[in-house]
Amino acid sequence: MIEQERIRNFSIIAHIDHGKSTLADRLLEFTHAVTEREMVEQILDSMDLEREKGITIKARSVRMDYQAKDGQTYALNLIDTPGHVDFSYEVSRSLAACEGALLVVDAAQGIEAQTMANVHLAIDAGLAIVAVVNKIDLPNAQPEKVAHDLQQVIGLLEDEIIFASAKSGIGVEEILEAIVTKIPPPSGDRSAPLRALIFDSHYDPYKGVIAYVKVVDGILREEQPLRLMATGKETDALEIGVFRPTMTRVTELGAGEVGYIATGLKVVTDCQVGDTVTDAERPAPEPLPGYRPVKPMVFAGLYPVDGEDYPALRDALARLKLNDASLVYEPESSDALGFGFRCGFLGLLHMEIIQERLEREYKLDLLATAPSVEYEVLKRDGTVVHVDNPSDMPSPGEIEEIREPWAKLTIMSPSRYIGAIMELVTNRRGQFVDMTYLDEDRVQLSFEMPLAELIVDFYDQLKSRTQGYASLDYQLADMRASDLVKLDILVNGQPVDALSLITHRDSAYHRGRELVESLRKLIPRQLFDVPIQASIGSRVIARETIRAMRKNVLAKCYGGDVTRKRKLLEKQKEGKARMKMVGSVEIPQEAFLAVLSLGGDANGRSPGRE
Amino acid sequence: MTAPLPADAPLGVYIHIPFCTRICPYCDFNTYARQEHLIPEYVEALIGEMDLTLAAIGPRPAQSIFFGGGTPSLLPPELIARLIDAVRERFPLPDDAEVSLEANPETIDAATLDGFLQAGVNRISLGVQTQQARGLKVLGRAHKPDVPERALAAARAAGVDNFSVDFIFGWPGQTMAEWEDDLDSILRWQPDHLSLYSLIIEPGTPYERAVQRGILTVPDEDATADMYERALDRLAAAGWYHYEISNWARTPEHRSRHNLLYWRNGHYLGLGAGAHAHLDNVRSSNIRLPAHYIAAVRDGRLPIEEREELDETTAMAETMMLGLRLPEEGVSATAFAARHGRELEEVYGRQLSDLAAASLLHWDGEHVRLTRRGLLLANEVAARFLPEPARAG
């Protein structure tokens, strides 16, 4: 156990690509936490996908020993935080385990909305901030301007800002000194009953769930009987230790220390981020504040393109779930798509990551239905139902009111894009709240907007309309009643469940038109006329007809090459067998893929603007 | 005669001539330009293949010879004569047997036509394709619109009394007016036989690449369906006999006996590079490259490259796929039972009633025939008789 006086717990807050991982690497090197031979580039981002997307998905932690200029050796615990808006709760729990934060801002890019959101989380959590203007050696760096903005926005003093270049090692020691001198040591009562905050976990096939904890009060000992206060699970500390950065066993961890507990638990769901670990025999009277059970915000159906992959998809989801308590799923079936799973995600990025991991790591070919949020439906009989799947929506006659989640948005951008951003937001039913100039040419805009409008392609649209300069942060605000309708798509009179969606009445006509028009182009002609309709309840709002096939005949006999003729027909027939049947209509899988991926740009335009 | 033929019916003899002066951009037949120097040894190899075949299957009666290509009219009449005589010596052929030869308009004149007739050819099939200058250009044909009419006159003068023309519709940019104009030419010329082929963009051809890149745009399904239906109506009004989806005859006697054999699922030899044969439930095809083909025959080997033994399910499906292309004849239940040893109704009862319900065919308990709509959707109909592949979830 190390005295609390010589512990510093901190995280790094940075926008994607602003150099967080490189800086972390330099700190590790400087403190010899890893030898150069062990040094894999960017140790903290260990998943391939993280590296590719340039973001950290799972928090990681590492302990460094730093001999400071005052002659003392300090234990510095770097607690890494996820860098994306979908994971803001996880960020808040990581920050809750720290007493300070390094704020890293790119000297060329300036402050971004996401960074600001996390800085505010850190300030609200009472953390000391050490600001670092990074990449000062870039040719287009403007460190003074960025430092000025930081003073303006966060109220830092000029001499509190460190100029650095993690890449070339400039300012690294200065940063380490600032960590020791500016960030307070953890408080906490080592004689009180044990309270340890879980800020992350991962599943280990041999040791079960490994909880990443910060001991807030008391002392954690190996083999201690433990209780998780929110889930009520009891277990023993099979092994405890610290991250150096590999898991290194210790016998006890005192208040203020950061490390891990091998819990022996079988599922990460039992070991939720934000939960408090206490001594089962001498429990703390109160858990630590701030715990929130996982609440998915975005829902979509995931279906294997090949029905035979269903068991493989089920197994893959179960494996991902081992390490991701925020992923929820349950089996569902669709007439059009067969058997699949309704999945809940923290946000769109989370969904995208899960989908990519399933496709890449598990080699699954997937079809995802349009993402949906969870609606609250007040029925005429006074009951309230929660609907995250359009096909569960009660019929219009039963509905008194539909409420949808709204989000608070913060967008930071160069001021020349204000018009484009305003247009994008208002086209999606967003409402302007406030605008602040950060400096002459940079603004912070606040909006409120339905979450449903945000989750489909909003971020990409924002990026493309601002040449990538705008950054976004959002958080859930409240539920509001809206004029929402369920839009059904009927093929030959038969509703296609996978294509139903819930949308605002004003955009229903436009979405319906667009869907039926694209289906008309995507569904091959059948032996009979096939009407394609979009309807709200029993009212048809758009209709197209796929005319019956007129001609499919081979011209000649290819000099007696009958085999070739037959093989051609066999191929046509196999192609049809791969199609999905909706009623008696054969629909190629690609039609679903194309229509389901269309949701995005349909939303980018305002109703009636085409 | 009705489809299918009995298994012991006389053979057709197809002879492939894989030489062309130029390769048309839409064509994917086994044919080669600038290989004409191979012609003499190729003809020897054809005779060699006849000997090898005779040794393998024994003497069997034949009913027709068809010189297809490529451009068979590139061969001098003496070589055609040699080949016809060689067939006759090995596979007994009735005196009035149909002997067809495909010709390109620019390759024939009165002298060559006379030579072919002397050689024993009694049916000429002329590849006109279109009378539109623009169409000939886009199809990459070598002749000008005035050439076919002269070739036709020369043929008539030479005494060809069974004369067929081929046309293509659905070529890039073709309009209905242009098609009507081609139909006008046909009706004015009054040939004895007519083939109208809807252009198919074949994989691997320059056309396919051009269409994929958007350089060429071909008339769509509806436009070509309209063209086909216009031809059906106009030819019917003029008294033409529509005996196969793409083929019309002036009278039933002018039907191509050799091609009928294909549709009636008959047996035939396929002689030459890349030629296809159907003998006793085996479909086979020859080595495609002429030089390799010649070498194989010189070595005394049958030049077969691919060989597929048909099981009875496939053979029956082929009977339907082929026979249904004959709108008048269709498939006969009696002939089917005689050929395959099973009742048509028992094998295909469900398909027949489904397709009849969908107005794609007529089924009266003895004959199965396509309806007019079925003619345009013959692939959809034929596919129903093929074995079912596994259906995805």
Side-chain angles (χ1 to χ4, degrees), chain A residues 555, chain B residues 197 228 241-248 263 322 325-327:
Chain B
Y197 296 129
Y228 182 72
Y241 180 61
H242 186 210
Y243 74 100
E244 197 273 337
I245 286 177
S246 307
N247 289 283
W248 285 257
W263 311 123
L322 297 166
R325 293 189 56 111
L326 303 169

Side-chain angles (χ1 to χ4, degrees), chain A residues 217-229:
Chain A
D217 286 316
I219 294 167
L220 173 68
R221 295 189 173 85
E222 205 169 53
E223 287 171 29
Q224 193 172 9
L226 300 177
R227 178 185 301 157
L228 283 76
M229 298 181 80

Side-chain angles (χ1 to χ4, degrees), chain A residues 525 527 549-552 554-555 557-558 560-564 566 569 573 576-577 579 581 586, chain B residues 28 198 202 221-222 224 226 229 246 263 268 276 308 318 325 373 376 379-380 383 386 388 391-392:
Chain A
R525 295 164 80 163
L527 288 174
M549 183 194 298
R550 278 192 65 196
K551 182 165 170 281
N552 178 15
L554 293 172
C557 63
Y558 297 111
D561 187 356
V562 171
T563 307
R564 169 166 171 190
R566 195 186 73 235
L569 294 180
K573 191 163 179 163
K576 284 192 178 183
M579 294 186 188
M581 293 292 286
E586 288 159 332
Chain B
D28 73 335
S198 179
E202 300 288 358
E221 178 183 332
D222 289 305
T224 56
D226 286 343
E229 295 212 82
S246 307
W263 311 123
Y268 47 90
H276 295 262
E308 185 193 19
E318 288 189 351
R325 293 189 56 111
R373 182 159 181 250
L376 282 93
N379 284 357
E380 298 290 322
L386 295 171
E388 288 301 319
R391 185 166 262 286

